[in-house]
Coordinates of all heavy atoms in Angstrom, one line a residue:
V1 N 151.2 45.5 66.4 CA 150.3 46.6 66.1 C 148.9 46.0 65.8 O 148.7 44.8 65.7 CB 150.7 47.4 64.9 CG1 152.0 48.1 65.1 CG2 150.9 46.5 63.6
A2 N 147.9 46.9 65.8 CA 146.5 46.4 65.5 C 146.4 46.1 64.1 O 147.1 46.6 63.2 CB 145.5 47.5 65.9
N3 N 145.5 45.1 63.8 CA 145.2 44.8 62.4 C 144.4 46.0 61.8 O 143.6 46.7 62.5 CB 144.4 43.5 62.3 CG 145.1 42.4 62.8 OD1 146.4 42.3 62.7 ND2 144.5 41.4 63.4
Y4 N 144.5 46.2 60.5 CA 143.9 47.4 59.9 C 142.5 47.0 59.3 O 142.3 46.0 58.8 CB 144.8 47.9 58.7 CG 146.0 48.7 59.2 CD1 147.1 48.1 59.8 CD2 146.1 50.1 58.9 CE1 148.2 48.9 60.2 CE2 147.1 50.9 59.3 CZ 148.2 50.2 59.9 OH 149.3 51.0 60.3
A5 N 141.7 48.0 59.3 CA 140.4 48.0 58.6 C 140.2 49.2 57.8 O 140.4 50.3 58.4 CB 139.2 47.8 59.6
Y6 N 139.9 49.1 56.5 CA 139.7 50.2 55.7 C 138.3 50.2 55.1 O 137.8 49.1 54.5 CB 140.6 50.2 54.5 CG 142.1 50.5 54.9 CD1 143.0 49.5 55.0 CD2 142.5 51.8 55.0 CE1 144.3 49.8 55.4 CE2 143.8 52.1 55.4 CZ 144.8 51.1 55.5 OH 146.0 51.4 55.9
K7 N 137.6 51.3 55.1 CA 136.3 51.4 54.5 C 136.4 52.0 53.1 O 137.2 53.0 52.9 CB 135.4 52.4 55.3 CG 134.1 52.8 54.7 CD 133.2 53.7 55.5 CE 132.0 54.2 54.7 NZ 131.1 53.1 54.3
N8 N 135.8 51.4 52.1 CA 135.8 51.7 50.8 C 134.8 52.9 50.6 O 133.6 52.8 50.8 CB 135.3 50.6 49.8 CG 135.6 50.8 48.4 OD1 135.6 52.0 47.9 ND2 135.7 49.8 47.6
L9 N 135.4 54.1 50.2 CA 134.6 55.3 50.1 C 133.9 55.4 48.7 O 133.1 56.3 48.4 CB 135.4 56.5 50.3 CG 136.1 56.6 51.7 CD1 136.9 57.9 51.8 CD2 135.1 56.6 52.8
G10 N 134.2 54.4 47.9 CA 133.5 54.4 46.6 C 134.0 55.3 45.5 O 133.5 55.4 44.4
N11 N 135.1 56.0 45.8 CA 135.7 56.9 44.9 C 137.2 56.6 44.6 O 137.9 57.4 44.2 CB 135.6 58.4 45.4 CG 136.3 58.5 46.7 OD1 136.9 57.6 47.3 ND2 136.2 59.7 47.3
G12 N 137.6 55.3 44.8 CA 138.9 54.9 44.6 C 139.8 55.1 45.8 O 141.0 54.7 45.8
T13 N 139.3 55.6 46.9 CA 140.1 55.8 48.1 C 139.4 55.0 49.3 O 138.2 54.7 49.3 CB 140.3 57.2 48.5 OG1 139.0 57.8 48.9 CG2 140.8 58.0 47.4
F14 N 140.3 54.8 50.3 CA 139.8 54.1 51.5 C 140.1 55.0 52.8 O 141.1 55.6 52.9 CB 140.5 52.8 51.6 CG 140.2 51.8 50.5 CD1 140.7 51.9 49.3 CD2 139.3 50.8 50.7 CE1 140.4 51.0 48.3 CE2 138.9 49.9 49.8 CZ 139.5 50.0 48.5
E15 N 139.2 54.8 53.8 CA 139.4 55.4 55.1 C 139.8 54.5 56.1 O 139.2 53.4 56.2 CB 138.1 56.1 55.5 CG 138.1 56.8 56.8 CD 136.7 57.2 57.3 OE1 135.8 57.1 56.6 OE2 136.6 57.8 58.5
D16 N 140.9 54.8 56.8 CA 141.3 53.9 57.9 C 140.3 54.0 59.1 O 140.2 55.0 59.7 CB 142.7 54.4 58.4 CG 143.3 53.4 59.5 OD1 142.5 52.6 60.0 OD2 144.5 53.5 59.7
V17 N 139.5 52.9 59.3 CA 138.5 52.8 60.3 C 138.8 51.7 61.4 O 138.0 51.2 62.0 CB 137.1 52.5 59.7 CG1 136.6 53.8 58.8 CG2 137.2 51.3 58.8
T18 N 140.2 51.5 61.5 CA 140.6 50.5 62.5 C 140.0 50.7 63.8 O 139.4 49.8 64.5 CB 142.2 50.4 62.5 OG1 142.6 50.2 61.2 CG2 142.6 49.3 63.4
T19 N 140.1 51.9 64.4 CA 139.6 52.2 65.7 C 138.1 52.1 65.8 O 137.6 51.8 66.9 CB 140.1 53.6 66.2 OG1 139.7 54.5 65.3 CG2 141.7 53.5 66.3
Q20 N 137.4 52.5 64.7 CA 135.9 52.4 64.8 C 135.4 51.0 64.6 O 134.4 50.6 65.2 CB 135.4 53.3 63.7 CG 135.7 54.8 63.8 CD 136.9 55.2 62.9 OE1 138.0 54.6 63.1 NE2 136.6 56.1 62.0
W21 N 136.1 50.2 63.8 CA 135.5 48.9 63.4 C 136.0 47.7 64.2 O 135.4 46.7 64.2 CB 135.8 48.6 61.9 CG 134.9 49.4 61.0 CD1 134.1 50.5 61.3 CD2 134.8 49.1 59.6 NE1 133.4 50.8 60.2 CE2 133.8 50.1 59.1 CE3 135.3 48.2 58.7 CZ2 133.4 50.2 57.8 CZ3 134.9 48.3 57.4 CH2 134.0 49.2 56.9
T22 N 137.2 47.9 64.8 CA 137.8 46.7 65.6 C 138.1 47.1 67.0 O 137.9 48.2 67.4 CB 139.1 46.3 64.9 OG1 140.2 47.2 65.1 CG2 139.0 46.2 63.3
S23 N 138.6 46.1 67.7 CA 138.9 46.4 69.1 C 140.2 47.1 69.2 O 140.7 47.6 70.3 CB 139.1 45.0 69.9 OG 140.1 44.2 69.3
N24 N 140.9 47.3 68.1 CA 142.2 48.0 68.1 C 143.3 47.3 69.0 O 144.3 47.9 69.4 CB 142.1 49.4 68.5 CG 143.1 50.3 67.9 OD1 143.6 50.1 66.8 ND2 143.5 51.4 68.6
E25 N 143.1 46.0 69.2 CA 144.0 45.3 70.0 C 145.3 45.0 69.3 O 145.3 44.6 68.1 CB 143.4 43.9 70.5 CG 144.3 43.1 71.3 CD 143.7 41.7 71.7 OE1 142.6 41.4 71.1 OE2 144.2 41.0 72.4
K26 N 146.5 45.1 69.9 CA 147.7 44.8 69.3 C 148.0 43.3 69.3 O 147.9 42.7 70.4 CB 148.8 45.6 70.0 CG 148.7 47.1 69.8 CD 149.9 47.8 70.4 CE 149.8 49.3 70.2 NZ 151.0 50.0 70.8
T27 N 148.3 42.7 68.2 CA 148.5 41.3 68.1 C 149.6 41.0 67.1 O 149.9 41.8 66.3 CB 147.2 40.5 67.7 OG1 146.7 41.1 66.5 CG2 146.1 40.6 68.8
F28 N 150.0 39.7 67.1 CA 150.8 39.2 66.0 C 149.9 38.2 65.2 O 149.7 37.1 65.5 CB 152.0 38.4 66.5 CG 152.9 39.2 67.5 CD1 152.9 38.9 68.9 CD2 153.7 40.2 67.0 CE1 153.6 39.6 69.8 CE2 154.5 40.9 68.0 CZ 154.5 40.7 69.3
S29 N 149.3 38.8 64.2 CA 148.2 38.1 63.5 C 148.8 37.6 62.1 O 149.6 38.3 61.5 CB 147.0 38.9 63.3 OG 146.5 39.3 64.5
N30 N 148.3 36.5 61.6 CA 148.7 36.0 60.2 C 147.4 35.6 59.4 O 146.9 36.4 58.6 CB 149.7 34.9 60.4 CG 149.5 34.0 61.5 OD1 148.4 33.4 61.6 ND2 150.5 33.9 62.4
G31 N 146.9 34.4 59.5 CA 145.8 34.0 58.8 C 144.5 34.7 59.2 O 144.3 35.0 60.3
A32 N 143.6 34.9 58.2 CA 142.3 35.6 58.5 C 141.3 35.0 57.5 O 141.6 34.7 56.3 CB 142.4 37.0 58.5
A33 N 140.0 35.0 57.9 CA 138.9 34.5 57.1 C 137.6 35.3 57.5 O 137.5 35.6 58.7 CB 138.7 33.0 57.1
Y34 N 136.8 35.4 56.5 CA 135.5 36.0 56.9 C 134.3 35.1 56.6 O 134.5 34.1 55.8 CB 135.2 37.3 56.1 CG 135.3 37.2 54.6 CD1 134.3 36.6 53.8 CD2 136.4 37.7 53.9 CE1 134.4 36.5 52.5 CE2 136.5 37.6 52.5 CZ 135.5 37.0 51.8 OH 135.5 36.9 50.4
G35 N 133.2 35.3 57.2 CA 132.0 34.5 57.1 C 130.9 35.1 58.0 O 131.2 35.6 59.1
D36 N 129.7 34.9 57.6 CA 128.6 35.3 58.5 C 128.3 34.2 59.5 O 127.5 33.3 59.4 CB 127.3 35.5 57.6 CG 126.2 36.2 58.5 OD1 126.4 36.3 59.6 OD2 125.1 36.4 57.9

């Protein structure tokens, strides 16, 4: 399945924005890191 991305709405809830923020590619993913 695609990896998930959630936008923090600032009210304690999150919106699933996987299709808007990512390529929505199906992968077998494990480690991940962020950086500019």
Side-chain angles (χ1 to χ4, degrees):
V1 295
N3 299 329
Y4 281 72
Y6 288 101
K7 174 180 171 61
N8 189 337
L9 299 180
N11 60 1
T13 66
F14 293 80
E15 177 188 358
D16 185 347
V17 291
T18 302
T19 56
Q20 299 98 299
W21 283 13
T22 76
S23 62
N24 207 31
E25 178 185 8
K26 294 182 177 181
T27 55
F28 306 106
S29 302
N30 34 59
Y34 56 74
D36 188 357

